[in-house]
Amino acid sequence: MLGLLLLQVLASCLCLGHSEVVTSFTTACAQFFYEKTPPSDTLRPTNAARICQRLSNKYHFATLYDKTRRIPVYSAYIYKPGHGYRYNSWFIEPQLIDKKSYGKEMAEPWTIHSANIGENQAVENDYSSAVMPVDRGHLCPSGHLYEQTSRWATFTLTNIVPQYSTLNQGAWSVYEDTTMRNKTDGCDKTYVITGAVPGNTNISNGRVNIPSHIWSAACCLVGTNPTRAWGAIAKNERGNNQVTNLNLGRLETKLSELYGGKVVTLFNNACPRQ
Ligand SMILES: *[C@@H]1O[C@H](CO)[C@@H](O)[C@H](O)[C@H]1NC(C)=O
Ligand SMILES: *[C@@H]1O[C@H](CO)[C@@H](O)[C@H](O)[C@H]1NC(C)=O
């Protein structure tokens, strides 16, 4: 009983924190979700962290992270494509080591003096040591954000999954660049959620899961009206170079199947399902 009470007190204290690893996306980083509605909790794994991705005193996108599989479940952002250059290194999320001891900003690992950086998240060596032909695949791609610091903020390993190179550099990049530009023609604002379905294989001796599928969903607003929405999904398998384009309703149904029959909703009801 006392334990329960303590837990409740602890939980309510956590809710008050405004730091980067947050307890709910409906209060923190809600701006990255249409109508402040994050996807259904059915996507959330048991050992999850919600990250408001922060760099240079600004929030750039939101990520739901799976601390056991050490990959993101999804990243949510507002599509605002631009040009710029890549960050030449990789950030990690210090608050995944310990929320109390570290600040709100993502950080380069060499600035963090802890032996436990890799306990709850992937580190560079997990990817550089991979024998599978996988890239560091961005969920929120740098090319979908406009400001240079926003683009750099996508180079955090909490936004990255092991993605087979053929897909990442082939059909998926065509979806990200060409298809998205085409489909967002006429949209005043487009909310995007891009995610990964956990798979049965891994890199780095089981430390980092290789997702079975990569998916993306978008809801396009003209003025303030969500006039259309769409989705895309691809098998993250060696050699696959195909992305299936489908409507939002079909994508949610497909994800429900992949998540063991649990109902999955990605966007607020107002975004058209077909
Ligand atoms: C853009 O979309 C239109 C229809 O919406 C389609 O006919 C056209 O082929 C697309 N172009 C590209 C480059 O994907
Ligand atoms: C990682 O993959 C290997 C080989 O496929 C498998 O034997 C092992 O169980 C996997 N580990 C995890 C944690 O998934």
Side-chain angles (χ1 to χ4, degrees):
M1 193 59 197
L2 188 64
L4 238 171
L5 239 160
L6 267 172
L7 253 174
Q8 278 171 354
V9 171
L10 198 72
S12 59
C13 292
L14 287 175
C15 290
L16 298 172
H18 288 283
S19 39
E20 204 174 21
V21 169
V22 298
T23 43
S24 162
F25 281 146
T26 51
T27 47
C29 266
Q31 69 269 31
F32 299 115
F33 300 92
Y34 173 58
E35 287 286 306
K36 304 185 175 178
T37 314
S40 54
D41 266 349
T42 42
L43 292 177
R44 184 162 49 91
T46 41
N47 196 14
R50 296 179 185 83
I51 305 172
C52 277
Q53 301 281 11
R54 181 168 161 135
L55 179 65
S56 302
N57 291 316
K58 270 184 75 178
Y59 293 115
H60 304 280
F61 58 101
T63 299
L64 180 67
Y65 193 75
D66 182 337
K67 295 190 282 184
T68 302
R69 298 186 179 94
R70 300 187 182 90
I71 49 169
V73 177
Y74 62 72
S75 286
Y77 58 96
I78 295 165
Y79 176 78
K80 230 181 165 187
H83 293 288
Y85 35 101
R86 296 168 63 89
Y87 196 66
N88 63 3
S89 183
W90 294 91
F91 296 107
I92 54 98
E93 175 46 58
Q95 292 197 338
L96 288 179
I97 308 166
D98 170 10
K99 192 174 151 66
K100 290 191 299 286
S101 310
Y102 296 97
K104 302 174 184 186
E105 301 255 322
M106 58 181 72
E108 291 196 39
W110 61 270
T111 64
I112 302 296
H113 305 287
S114 163
N116 301 326
I117 294 181
E119 195 175 318
N120 294 319
Q121 64 192 307
V123 293
E124 256 200 278
N125 188 55
D126 293 322
Y127 284 91
S128 54
S129 69
V131 288
M132 308 290 239
V134 290
D135 290 346
R136 290 162 218 200
H138 283 72
L139 292 189
C140 172
S142 65
H144 282 190
L145 300 183
Y146 189 75
E147 286 172 29
Q148 189 60 60
T149 44
S150 299
R151 299 164 63 85
W152 280 344
T154 66
F155 288 81
T156 179
L157 290 173
T158 58
N159 179 45
I160 296 295
V161 297
Q163 184 175 12
Y164 281 98
S165 312
T166 313
L167 180 65
N168 184 43
Q169 293 166 33
W172 193 257
S173 91
V174 172
Y175 176 78
E176 284 178 340
D177 300 337
T178 315
T179 313
M180 276 297 285
R181 208 178 316 123
N182 193 352
K183 285 192 182 270
T184 53
D185 193 28
C187 303
D188 294 315
K189 196 169 193 181
T190 305
Y191 290 88
V192 180
I193 298 167
T194 299
V197 181
N200 297 319
T201 56
N202 57 70
I203 54 170
S204 201
N205 292 320
R207 275 184 41 85
V208 180
N209 186 275
I210 302 181
S212 65
H213 296 75
I214 317 274
W215 55 267
S216 186
C219 181
C220 153
L221 271 59
V222 176
T224 56
N225 293 328
T227 52
R228 53 184 199 271
W230 61 89
I233 189 164
K235 280 188 180 157
N236 188 37
E237 284 171 356
R238 198 177 187 133
N240 179 44
N241 194 20
Q242 204 183 325
V243 172
T244 304
N245 290 288
L246 67 189
N247 66 34
L248 177 59
R250 291 283 306 281
L251 176 61
E252 288 174 332
T253 304
K254 176 82 186 153
L255 288 176
S256 295
E257 287 164 22
L258 293 170
Y259 276 87
K262 292 180 277 187
V263 173
V264 173
T265 53
L266 298 175
F267 283 113
N268 178 283
N269 284 341
C271 295
R273 261 50 189 181
Q274 48 192 344

